[in-house]
Amino acid sequence: MDLDIDTVRTARTRADCVLRPGEVFLGGGTFLYSEPVPAGVTGLVDLTGMGWEPWSVDGSGLRVAGTCTLEELVSGPGALGTDTGGPYRALGIVGQCVAALTLSAKVARTATVGGNLALGLPAGSMVGLFAALSARAVVWTPDGGSREVAVSDLVTRAGVVELARGEVIREIRVTATVLRQRTAFRRVSLTTAGRTAAMVTGCRAGDGVALVLTASVPVPHVLLVRANDHDGLDRRLGWITGLGDGAWYEDTHGSREWRAAMTRRLAHEALDELGDV
């Protein structure tokens, strides 16, 4: 899709990240170029010129830049997670979460982690990935400061995130302690190559399990249960249903009732997997 805009700026310093009237930030741009431009947008500020290191890992944990592409995420942190008994075994679900987006290799080379998070779409699986890892997003504010927000709290409504105008997702941080934990992934869609209709990611910590529900709900839900406590999981899932008609997401990729049923099945499967010693 062609964009009817007047200017494109490449940000190379933090000062360049101050938006002018009518400007919005551009990451990979894969979504921006597939949808009509919002009214009033006249210019783009390309964040990829900032030259941020895509990812790094040290004794404190993992850092993933907002401009890290999905391909870089899989080939970097995702590759670290292939050692199921190693210090990065929690990252074993990275490749699955990226694949859940059902994107082409061309798009994966361009689409960014920060862009997927900032869209706040129910099926945007980067939220499910990093929420399961108890990650926090470092957000640059337009006044030159920064703040942190839990990735699980980033999405406030379907397609709406807790980012004010001019704020940028600088990086995502995962602690070294979480990186050592076991994780689980489950996903379902109406068709083999269809958009994710329900996704459950989970992480084991001590005698507890954190299960993150995405795609089937408008906003992420983090369910904390004890290992193997299936009755407790059912109670928490029932609480979501009790929120009313808007509790479960519905569109052409699945009805509320079907998504709720599939989420329950996937959540119990993930709990079983993470309950094993």
Side-chain angles (χ1 to χ4, degrees):
M1 176 179 290
D2 294 332
L3 297 181
D4 185 11
I5 56 173
D6 300 324
T7 61
V8 177
R9 290 193 295 119
T10 300
R12 304 195 186 281
T13 68
R14 180 148 189 189
D16 294 333
C17 294
V18 177
L19 293 178
R20 300 167 185 168
E23 290 183 331
V24 295
F25 289 117
L26 171 69
T30 55
F31 186 82
L32 185 64
Y33 284 100
S34 66
E35 295 288 324
V37 178
V41 174
T42 58
L44 304 177
V45 179
D46 187 354
L47 293 171
T48 60
M50 294 295 289
W52 294 332
E53 184 179 12
W55 63 277
S56 64
V57 64
D58 56 26
S60 64
L62 171 70
R63 295 185 176 190
V64 178
T67 52
C68 175
T69 68
L70 299 181
E71 181 183 67
E72 290 169 331
L73 184 68
V74 172
S75 63
L80 294 176
T82 56
D83 182 359
T84 57
Y88 309 115
R89 63 178 177 176
L91 300 175
I93 62 173
V94 167
Q96 293 169 303
C97 287
V98 171
L101 293 169
T102 61
L103 39 69
S104 67
K106 180 179 179 180
V107 172
R109 286 194 294 270
T110 306
T112 62
V113 170
N116 191 258
L117 291 173
L119 286 173
L121 299 177
S125 60
M126 292 300 96
V127 174
L129 168 62
F130 287 106
L133 299 177
S134 301
R136 299 186 66 81
V138 177
V139 178
W140 274 4
T141 55
D143 60 2
S146 65
R147 64 185 181 90
E148 290 190 17
V149 58
V151 169
S152 57
D153 295 332
L154 194 60
V155 182
T156 57
R157 298 198 310 274
V160 179
V161 295
E162 193 204 343
L163 291 175
R165 174 171 168 76
E167 290 190 326
V168 174
I169 297 177
R170 170 61 183 88
E171 66 182 17
I172 310 301
R173 295 178 179 176
V174 182
T175 67
T177 299
V178 172
L179 292 178
R180 292 190 289 268
Q181 307 304 325
R182 289 189 294 122
T183 50
F185 170 91
R186 294 291 189 280
R187 170 193 179 270
V188 69
S189 63
L190 276 176
T191 60
T192 302
R195 178 176 294 180
T196 300
M199 190 174 102
V200 176
T201 48
C203 186
R204 176 72 182 261
D207 61 356
V209 173
L211 297 175
V212 181
L213 315 184
T214 53
S216 60
V217 285
V219 297
H221 285 287
V222 181
L223 308 183
L224 303 176
V225 296
R226 295 182 66 84
N228 301 307
D229 184 4
H230 289 273
D231 290 338
L233 174 57
D234 277 333
R235 287 193 294 272
R236 285 160 177 77
L237 291 168
W239 175 83
I240 295 174
T241 299
L243 294 175
D245 289 342
W248 298 99
Y249 192 64
E250 182 174 73
D251 60 11
T252 57
H253 300 283
S255 68
R256 293 186 180 93
E257 295 78 13
W258 179 75
R259 289 182 194 243
M262 291 299 99
T263 300
R264 182 181 183 279
R265 190 195 79 187
L266 300 181
H268 280 284
E269 288 179 0
L271 184 58
D272 270 337
E273 180 179 341
L274 295 173
D276 295 337
V277 177

